[in-house]
Amino acid sequence: TIKMPGQRKTDLISRWDFVARQNAAFCLGIDFLFIFAYATAIALACTWAGGALERWGWPLSGLGRPLAWGVWLAGFFDIVENTGLTVMLLGAVTAPWPAIAAWSARIKFALIALGLI
């Protein structure tokens, strides 16, 4: 739901027509496929960087593997987020789905940011 200035709280998805919902569902489907790609790429980069930093003697080089697992955990939270979004897209926007999707997205982005750093 969104709140526009000067308006009461409204449900954006309820105003979408069939084509808009179909397009959103397609994008969610693509996002489900993208999860494996970004989680694998970032996790491999974390592992590679950890190994390279270990050869150079950096003290935090051991974080490569835990960060790689953290990125895979981010993928799990992305699946949870997408599931919540799908439930809202196919039905009514009711509790607890907006909160589940929002918190899953926050955790996902935090873990991805740690992996990219």
Side-chain angles (χ1 to χ4, degrees), residues 11-83:
D11 177 7
L12 180 64
I13 296 175
S14 67
R15 293 186 280 163
W16 290 354
D17 63 0
F18 177 75
V19 174
R21 286 178 184 253
Q22 200 172 29
N23 289 338
F26 177 76
C27 290
L28 277 171
I30 295 294
D31 192 37
F32 270 109
L33 296 174
F34 183 63
I35 294 169
F36 180 76
Y38 82 73
T40 301
I42 299 171
L44 286 173
C46 288
T47 304
W48 173 81
L53 293 175
E54 185 177 6
R55 285 189 296 278
W56 295 334
W58 284 52
L60 297 178
S61 63
L63 292 177
R65 283 193 180 171
L67 287 173
W69 284 109
V71 173
W72 278 103
L73 187 59
F76 168 76
F77 280 106
D78 200 355
I79 291 169
V80 173
E81 174 195 7
N82 286 352
T83 301

